[in-house]
């Protein structure tokens, strides 16, 4: 990947802020030869009270700080996980309508996680960092690492699925990539923002073990391993206190136990009280204005510091944490120019989309498409002609380019295969009405299909399907209220706009039917799955979505994505459903995480439920065989496991080798199995490779609420290895000793 090193001339920073000085008289805060902490000490000593206060609250929708007198620029933040958001007003969310704010749209979180490829995600992070430099953004408000507790959460598409280990690995890679490119990551939303319904108020009641073992690990890894320099305090409450000003989460766990040295940035408008924000660990209050002086960490805080209510040291600590971000991005010394919309960035985006695609079903090897035998293709479905990068609210990107599924298929099919398109259905455009109802949701469907329109569109699609060799139905969800969208949750798992009926009708007239799902969360397939030979979970794919899809459909790329979230048979099967309204969406303002540790596959495995498609699942155009599991070394509290994986088919392909650990002897309940290591390995036809999987002490530990430490109860632990959480052909045991971590 190209990355221009900045040519930093001495004069460039000598003239910053109107200062003219000789090298010898450089003030310490400007002297790049000094350690950053010394520079920050010096800068803080020069700041007035009101300049300090200016650094700890917003001065625009996505900016804070700036001390022109000393040449300290604004700190520019921006959304969001899938690319650099378009420019919005200084005091509003309205787009400014510029022409220089197009960016590369990377695929969103669920897609990213489905690659199971941290190395690739690190390069995606680097590309995003380069785009941030080019757009002058210091902090990218990403990644989002909230766990998919319920498949209904409208923002699951923006997150990394249901498993803390997978989420942690992907998050750490993303953060490293971004921060390697002079851009600060802001891991979000800390913590327990697992539903969008009532996100601003809901109080989460979760037991300490589930908190530590399911909901916090990705944040902890982001801090301890990723070295993330900022974290976003969530909207919701935890134990009666808003997360962006929560003493336990911010002061005790994050800054105390984990030693976080960066800044806590509030979600936009997530601060509710000056004292709590000031004293409980919030370092930067953000929001969209317009009266920034009235913010809790603005005038009211300043007055409190002046009259001694809040110690100056508290303010100085916040300023220091904010300045660490600023210095890390190089702006005090001259930052890289970065690069925007380069072919390299588009290539990374495409690779992520390709590697994420999960082949759910492929009876009779219907896929990949053989263009020499398939002379005509009917592409059906509205998602074939939609673009998605702009949707979903804060995570939207004004994409420099975005290829639709239809465009990708047309381009790849070439002129020997006739491609026809028929839309088949039309998604209702959902419009939210305020105020919301008691469950936090209200909606009116502005443009639902009339029964006549539904029949006409479906009939036309059926006619096209009948007269084609192959049918590719491209459906799923969209980024809109009550589907895959910030601020609302889904009501159920159904495919909207009568898509299921249409799929059944298509299957009845043409057995060569491929269903492609473009969405970020599981949908029900019970009604049609049996009658459809091939199903591809394509997710949202970013700028190169259509091309990525075509390359998998036509076999240029062998699918290697794996599900980062269980696809249940129905909503009734999901862990939160069992607990009724108190478990989701909550009653009397409180949501009770009654399922405790049993989130995602931990629930289905422990309760012996057969999901539609399990966590970690995904087919390939080739096949793989596993053999020779060996525990090659086991220290006191860690182990190294090896196995051999062979490509037994006739195409090159990549396999995700997944390792799950089971603790059968702990004195506390433990899930049936938990993912603790994985590796993605590419194999030529007939090739074998030995795959090594490392298990650290945490792989065996649980969080003891008695000692408040991670604890390993020594003994034999079962390890199982294979290509999906429900297909684990290899097993063995690892002996480890007692440990308190
Ligand atoms: C979202 C954040 C986002 C922020 C700024 C909030 O509503 O929850 O994820 O970064 O807005 O756009």
């Amino acid at each position: 990947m190209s990355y221009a090193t900045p040519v930093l001339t001495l004069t460039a920073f000598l003239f910053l802020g109107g200062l003219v000085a000789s090298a010898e008289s450089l003030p310490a805060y400007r002297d790049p030869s000094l350690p950053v902490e010394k520079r920050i000490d010096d800068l803080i000593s020069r700041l007035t009270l009101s300049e300090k206060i200016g650094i700890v609250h917003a001065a625009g929708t996505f900016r804070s700080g700036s001390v022109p007198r000393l040449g300290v620029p604004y700190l520019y933040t921006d959304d969001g996980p899938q690319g650099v958001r378009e420019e919005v007003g200084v005091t509003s969310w309205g787009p400014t309508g510029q022409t220089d704010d197009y960016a590369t749209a990377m695929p969103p979180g669920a897609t990213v996680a489905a690659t199971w490829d941290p190395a690739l995600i690190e390069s995606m992070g680097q590309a995003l960092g380069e785009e941030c430099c080019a757009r002058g953004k210091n902090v990218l408000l990403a990644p989002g690492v909230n766990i998919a507790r319920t498949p209904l959460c409208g923002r699951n598409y923006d997150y990394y699925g249901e498993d803390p280990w997978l989420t942690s690995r992907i998050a750490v890679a993303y953060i490293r990539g971004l921060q390697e490119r002079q851009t600060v990551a802001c891991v979000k939303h800390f913590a327990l923002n697992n539903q969008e319904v009532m996100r601003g108020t809901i109080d989460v009641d979760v037991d300490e073990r589930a908190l530590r073992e399911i909901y916090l690990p990705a944040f902890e890894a982001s801090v301890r391993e990723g070295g993330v320099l900022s974290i976003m305090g969530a909207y919701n409450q935890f134990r009666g206190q808003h997360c962006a000003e929560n003493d336990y989460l911010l002061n005790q766990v994050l800054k105390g136990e984990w030693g976080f040295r960066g800044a806590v940035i509030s979600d936009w408008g997530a601060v509710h009280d000056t004292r709590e924000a000031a004293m409980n660990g919030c370092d930067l209050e953000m929001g969209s204005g317009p009266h920034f002086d009235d913010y809790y960490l603005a005038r009211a805080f300043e007055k409190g510091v002046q009259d001694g209510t809040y110690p100056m040291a508290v303010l100085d600590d916040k300023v220091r944490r904010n300045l660490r971000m600023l210095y890390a991005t190089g702006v005090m010394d001259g930052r890289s120019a970065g690069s925007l919309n380069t072919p390299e960035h588009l290539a990374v985006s495409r690779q992520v989309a390709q590697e994420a695609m999960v082949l759910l079903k492929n009876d009779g090897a219907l896929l990949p498409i053989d263009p020499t035998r398939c002379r005509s293709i009917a592409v059906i479905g509205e998602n074939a002609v939609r673009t998605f990068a702009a949707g979903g609210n804060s995570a939207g990107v004004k994409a420099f380019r975005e290829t639709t599924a239809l465009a990708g298929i047309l381009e790849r099919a070439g002129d020997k295969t006739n491609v026809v398109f028929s839309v088949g259905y039309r998604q209702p455009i959902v419009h939210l009405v305020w105020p919301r109802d008691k469950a936090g949701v209200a909606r009116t469907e502005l443009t639902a299909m009339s029964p006549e329109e539904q029949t006409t569109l479906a009939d036309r699609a059926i006619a096209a399907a009948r007269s084609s060799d192959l049918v590719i139905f491209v459906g799923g969800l969209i980024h809109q209220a009550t589907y895959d969208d910030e601020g609302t949750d889904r009501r159920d798992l159904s495919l909207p706009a009568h898509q299921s009926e249409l799929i059944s009708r298509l299957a009845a007239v043409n057995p060569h039917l491929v269903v492609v799902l473009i969405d970020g969360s599981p949908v029900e397939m019970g009604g049609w799955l049996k009658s459809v030979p091939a199903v591809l979970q394509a997710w949202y794919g970013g700028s190169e979505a259509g091309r990525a899809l075509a390359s998998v459909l036509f076999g240029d790329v062998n699918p290697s994505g794996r599900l980062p979230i269980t696809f249940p048979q129905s909503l009734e099967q999901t862990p939160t459903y069992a607990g009724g309204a108190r478990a989701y969406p909550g009653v009397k303002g409180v949501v009770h995480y009654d399922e405790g540790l049993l989130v995602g596959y931990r629930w289905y495995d422990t309760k012996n439920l057969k999901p539609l498609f399990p966590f970690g699942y995904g087919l390939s155009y080739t096949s793989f065989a596993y053999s020779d599991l060996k525990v090659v070394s086991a220290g006191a509290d860690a182990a190294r496991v090896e196995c051999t994986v062979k490509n037994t088919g006739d195409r090159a392909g990549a396999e995700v080798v997944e390792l799950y650990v089971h603790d059968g002897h702990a004195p506390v309940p433990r899930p049936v199995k938990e993912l603790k290591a994985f590796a993605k390995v590419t194999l030529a036809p007939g090739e074998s490779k030995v795959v090594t999987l490392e298990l650290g002490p945490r792989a065996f530990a649980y969080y003891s609420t008695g000692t408040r430490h991670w604890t390993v109860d020594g003994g034999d632990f079962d390890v199982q290895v294979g290509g999906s959480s429900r297909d684990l052909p290899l097993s063995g045991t690892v002996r480890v000793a007692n440990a308190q971590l």
Side-chain angles (χ1 to χ4, degrees), residues 62 79 85 93 141 155 188-189 199 232 235 267-268 394 486:
F62 285 114
D79 289 305
R85 184 181 180 154
W93 293 102
L141 303 169
R155 216 166 171 184
K188 65 191 187 183
H189 306 84
R199 70 172 175 172
M232 188 185 290
Y235 285 125
D267 203 337
W268 270 234
S394 62
E486 179 181 337

Side-chain angles (χ1 to χ4, degrees), residues 55 71 98 121 142 236 248 266 307 367 390 416 437 467 490 518 537 600 604 627 692 723:
I55 288 175
Q98 287 166 229
I121 302 315
N236 52 286
Y248 183 67
S266 80
D307 67 20
L367 290 175
K416 295 216 169 52
D437 66 16
S467 56
R490 286 191 292 163
I518 297 184
Q537 175 65 37
Y604 300 94
S627 61
T692 304

